[in-house]
């Protein structure tokens, strides 16, 4: 019996090793260079209050705002007003208390099929295009792709506050998937972060430029690669508790989305490990 068990164990180990080699090979040959941020002509402009096109600024321009709030949105015509009313109410109150405080809210319509851009533009008309801008992407790129595209347009903020939609309706199955995902994140990619998928991420201008310029993942797991890159560059990270209100209507499909994220996690780890993706270490950031 003992020799048989040893043979089975050896066979199992050999199969696991073969599977890892095969997966690593697939990860390497399917790895692409940095996704090209091809911008359609209409994506190079935003509409001002008068409905006239203005060229989007560049992140290479000198900053003119203290805070940039980035809101990637996909089919959010119903949920967007709740978030915008509360966020702009707070930002306006803060500016009244401190006239030196400046901000902008950039809504990135990620190829929505509903009236997201029209709903967002109403806030531009109300608050002015200096405070609220709407970028409408021709096709859906995913949250990571939408935010990367927007980094080309944040010419203002010395800090960028990235807001993404929350996950609602936490069933037992969904909770189980969530804990499994968090374990994979910890095991494969990012240590020391309790919730990598938190929708609020506040970055300095320099940190945003360095991390997003190195980002490959464009879908749900982009948060994990973002933090992986930040830890590689030794960018200090702190988790701060916030009050979070769930709003139903998340675009996350529990099983298939988590399956896609699990695959992305494995490929993030393998592609950096085998050198298909590389990060160049530079000076440590403050």
């Amino acid at each position: 019996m003992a020799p048989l068990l040893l043979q089975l164990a050896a066979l199992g180990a050999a199969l696991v090793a073969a599977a890892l080699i095969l997966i690593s090979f697939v990860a390497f040959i399917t790895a692409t260079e940095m996704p090209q941020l091809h911008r359609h002509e209409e994506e190079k402009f935003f509409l001002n209050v008068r409905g006239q096109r203005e060229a989007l600024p560049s992140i290479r321009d000198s900053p003119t705002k203290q805070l940039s709030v980035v809101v990637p949105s996909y089919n959010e015509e119903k949920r967007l007003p709740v978030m915008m009313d509360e966020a702009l109410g707070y930002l306006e109150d803060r500016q009244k208390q401190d006239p030196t405080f400046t901000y902008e809210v950039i809504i990135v319509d990620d190829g929505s099929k509903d009236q997201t851009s029209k709903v967002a533009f109403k806030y531009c008309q109300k608050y002015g295009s200096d405070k609220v801008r709407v970028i409408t992407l021709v096709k859906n790129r995913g949250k990571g792709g939408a935010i990367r595209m927007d980094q080309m347009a944040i010419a203002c903020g010395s800090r960028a506050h990235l807001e993404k939609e929350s996950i609602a309706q936490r069933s037992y199955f969904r909770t189980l998937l969530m804990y499994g995902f968090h374990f994979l994140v910890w095991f494969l990619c990012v240590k020391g972060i309790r919730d990598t998928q938190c929708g609020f991420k506040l970055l300095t201008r320099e940190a945003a430029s360095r991390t997003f310029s190195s980002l490959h993942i464009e879908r749900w797991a982009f948060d994990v690669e973002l933090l992986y890159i930040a830890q590689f560059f030794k960018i200090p990270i702190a988790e701060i508790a916030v009050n979070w209100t769930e709003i139903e209507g998340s675009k996350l499909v529990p099983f298939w989305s988590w399956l896609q994220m699990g695959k992305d996690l494995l490929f993030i780890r393998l592609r950096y490990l085998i050198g298909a993706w590389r990060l160049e270490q530079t000076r440590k950031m403050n």
Side-chain angles (χ1 to χ4, degrees):
M1 178 62 86
L4 178 60
L5 291 176
L6 288 174
Q7 290 178 356
L8 290 175
L11 178 62
L15 290 174
V16 170
L20 285 175
I21 293 173
L22 178 61
I23 293 173
S24 298
F25 177 73
V26 171
F28 184 82
I29 64 174
T30 59
T32 58
E33 297 296 328
M34 200 68 57
Q36 294 297 317
L37 286 181
H38 171 70
R39 301 176 71 184
H40 295 270
E41 187 62 26
E42 51 267 49
E43 295 175 346
K44 299 177 182 179
F45 303 89
F46 69 95
L47 296 180
N48 60 25
V49 177
R50 296 181 297 277
Q52 299 171 331
R53 295 203 313 176
E54 290 189 24
L56 286 169
S58 168
I59 198 170
R60 297 178 182 85
D61 297 341
S62 298
T64 60
K65 304 285 186 183
Q66 287 182 300
L67 182 70
S68 294
V69 182
V70 183
V71 188
S73 306
Y74 179 67
N75 293 342
E76 294 289 1
E77 63 177 4
K78 295 182 179 178
R79 299 202 304 171
L80 188 63
V82 178
M83 176 264 165
M84 290 293 290
D85 289 340
E86 185 173 357
L88 286 167
Y90 165 78
L91 293 169
E92 285 291 293
D93 287 342
R94 180 172 173 182
Q95 192 172 64
K96 289 177 182 178
Q97 296 172 10
D98 179 9
T100 63
F101 171 71
T102 55
Y103 75 89
E104 64 179 350
V105 178
I106 303 173
I107 304 166
V108 186
D109 182 349
D110 189 19
S112 297
K113 298 177 182 178
D114 63 1
Q115 302 299 311
T116 295
S117 284
K118 289 185 179 180
V119 171
F121 188 66
K122 291 180 180 178
Y123 290 92
C124 173
Q125 293 174 314
K126 181 178 179 180
Y127 293 92
S129 53
D130 181 58
K131 290 184 176 179
V132 180
R133 293 176 181 171
V134 183
I135 302 174
T136 304
L137 304 186
V138 173
K139 66 176 183 178
N140 178 263
R141 298 173 182 266
K143 283 188 176 296
I147 295 176
R148 281 192 68 214
M149 177 64 68
D150 185 72
Q151 293 304 301
M152 301 172 70
I154 298 180
C156 310
S158 58
R159 290 182 290 177
H161 177 188
L162 294 104
E163 142 72 26
K164 64 179 203 147
E165 64 183 356
S166 60
I167 300 173
Q169 299 178 344
R170 295 197 184 280
S171 65
Y172 289 113
F173 178 65
R174 196 167 192 161
T175 301
L176 180 63
L177 289 175
M178 178 187 68
Y179 280 116
F181 176 77
H182 286 171
F183 172 76
L184 288 177
V185 169
W186 172 86
F187 184 73
L188 294 172
C189 299
V190 177
K191 303 288 194 299
I193 305 296
R194 295 181 60 186
D195 185 6
T196 59
Q197 305 310 109
C198 174
F200 291 94
K201 288 184 174 63
L202 183 68
L203 301 91
T204 64
R205 180 183 175 86
E206 184 182 3
S209 177
R210 290 185 61 189
T211 53
F212 283 106
S213 64
S214 303
L215 194 66
H216 298 82
I217 300 295
E218 294 190 329
R219 296 292 170 178
W220 294 103
F222 86 92
D223 303 80
V224 177
E225 189 189 5
L226 181 73
L227 291 167
Y228 181 92
I229 294 169
Q231 289 187 338
F232 176 86
F233 286 135
K234 295 181 171 47
I235 299 174
I237 302 172
E239 287 188 277
I240 307 297
V242 297
N243 292 324
W244 184 272
T245 302
E246 301 279 1
I247 302 176
E248 292 189 12
S250 171
K251 307 305 179 294
L252 191 78
V253 181
F255 180 76
W256 296 112
S257 295
W258 291 111
L259 192 64
Q260 174 68 41
M261 286 192 284
K263 185 202 78 169
D264 286 343
L265 289 180
L266 182 60
F267 277 18
I268 288 171
R269 180 57 179 157
L270 285 176
R271 284 169 174 163
Y272 279 115
L273 187 65
I274 64 180
W277 292 346
R278 301 181 185 220
L279 295 171
E280 293 185 8
Q281 181 63 274
T282 55
R283 62 186 176 84
K284 185 177 179 180
M285 294 183 62
N286 293 325

